[in-house]
Amino acid sequence: MSIPLLTPPPSGEQAIPFDELVARAEAGLPSSLPGNPTKIMVALDVDGTLLLPEGASERVISAFHDGVAAGMKMVIATGRGVNAVDPVFGYLKASQGWAVCSNGTTMGQWDPQLEGGRRVVRRHSFNPAEAIDALRQVMPDALIGSERDYGYAVSAPFPHGELIETFRVESMENLRSTPSTKVVGRAPSLTREEFSEAIAQTGLVDTHEVAIGWTSWVDVGPRGFTKATGLEELAEYLQVPHSGTVTVGDGTNDIPMLQWAAHGVAMGGADEDVRSHADAVTGSVENDGAAALVRAILNRF
């Protein structure tokens, strides 16, 4: 099954021997990383980090499972909502795990023993009216989505394949008045550059958490909630010390967690702005950079 539009375009990074990537990652690991694997939490972004358009590679799947078997806390950290994380565990061939979703507003646990196979442990909602109004003022024709328990309430259907969750078209009044964990805006007719300029005009960066995707798509969340705050909550919940926190990602919404972690690692496909906030850089998703990082950590035990 393919994953349309959620994953960034290929990085163009030349093929790098996997052993070389592992050695490079080992050399960059901090000496303060705990010697007990149960005190290590590895938080992995999804799109552009774990998943290729066709899914997860065998190296990624193997590294993820070996990390779990060693006792490490292998965590998904994503802008996706809870419902869109379900297939991620499917791609990883895993039935148990933890995830920080919706750019940090939601924390969930996946376990077949739970009703429905998962539960939301914590959720932080906000009033979406201000964000929706700001987007519509600058881009009146933009598609608006407001995250709900079931998926998304939307102003109109998004382009085919862009919302993998359940969605329902609702009135703008309902979109504005119902608490949400994340608002998304999409303007298919604009280039990413034009879209970025429009988002800058909204002023939302001063009042909300804003992350622009690989297309003319924006995530808007409540101020002060990011992947970093979600992971900090989860690390405390799982009793993992800060010295044991490792994060890896490639997008602008990954910057807070790269800065927060004891060891933040940017993917080879990340742009220079994202890389500048990381402690190290691994290979691209095409070269299994995330798997190389996990292997490097496992090699210490």
Side-chain angles (χ1 to χ4, degrees), residues 123-129 146-149 174-183:
R123 177 183 279 123
H124 303 279
S125 299
F126 74 115
N127 184 335
S146 182
E147 199 167 62
R148 305 282 175 82
D149 289 349
N174 285 342
L175 287 174
R176 295 180 70 258
S177 63
T178 305
S180 176
T181 46
K182 186 180 69 175
V183 166

Side-chain angles (χ1 to χ4, degrees), residues 139-297:
M139 296 175 288
D141 296 328
L143 301 172
I144 304 295
S146 182
E147 199 167 62
R148 305 282 175 82
D149 289 349
Y150 62 81
Y152 278 99
V154 299
S155 58
F158 278 50
H160 179 70
E162 291 194 8
L163 290 178
I164 63 177
E165 306 98 319
T166 298
F167 66 87
R168 302 172 188 166
V169 176
E170 295 192 8
S171 68
M172 193 57 65
E173 180 182 352
N174 285 342
L175 287 174
R176 295 180 70 258
S177 63
T178 305
S180 176
T181 46
K182 186 180 69 175
V183 166
V184 299
R186 177 78 165 102
S189 64
L190 299 183
T191 66
R192 189 178 186 275
E193 290 70 26
E194 293 169 337
F195 186 75
S196 296
E197 292 176 4
I199 294 301
Q201 295 174 32
T202 66
L204 285 172
V205 293
D206 297 320
T207 57
H208 293 71
E209 299 298 335
V210 177
I212 297 174
W214 298 97
T215 58
S216 51
W217 173 298
V218 66
D219 288 346
V220 183
R223 190 70 165 177
F225 291 93
T226 65
K227 289 188 181 184
T229 60
L231 289 170
E232 187 168 26
E233 283 188 324
L234 183 56
E236 181 180 355
Y237 189 87
L238 298 177
Q239 298 184 323
V240 173
H242 186 261
S243 61
T245 56
V246 179
T247 59
V248 57
D250 69 316
T252 56
N253 63 337
D254 295 316
I255 290 175
M257 74 172 185
L258 294 177
Q259 294 177 305
W260 165 80
H263 188 55
V265 181
M267 294 293 289
D271 63 26
E272 285 305 316
D273 183 38
V274 176
R275 290 177 179 227
S276 70
H277 293 90
D279 300 302
V281 178
T282 186
S284 66
V285 65
E286 305 99 287
N287 284 320
D288 294 318
L293 173 64
V294 175
R295 284 286 162 219
I297 298 172

Side-chain angles (χ1 to χ4, degrees), residues 44-63:
L44 301 143
D45 172 52
V46 174
D47 303 298
T49 299
L50 283 180
L51 297 185
L52 294 158
E54 62 271 19
S57 73
E58 288 303 317
R59 279 190 178 130
V60 164
I61 294 170
S62 176

Side-chain angles (χ1 to χ4, degrees), residues 28-76:
L29 291 175
S31 58
S32 57
L33 199 67
N36 180 350
T38 66
K39 297 301 181 182
I40 294 176
M41 182 176 79
V42 181
L44 301 143
D45 172 52
V46 174
D47 303 298
T49 299
L50 283 180
L51 297 185
L52 294 158
E54 62 271 19
S57 73
E58 288 303 317
R59 279 190 178 130
V60 164
I61 294 170
S62 176
F64 187 89
H65 283 266
D66 288 351
V68 172
M72 294 195 300
K73 296 355 183 240
M74 303 296 291
V75 176
I76 303 300

Side-chain angles (χ1 to χ4, degrees), residues 75-92:
V75 176
I76 303 300
T78 180
R80 294 179 180 223
V82 169
N83 297 288
V85 173
D86 287 340
V88 177
F89 281 104
Y91 284 119
L92 293 171

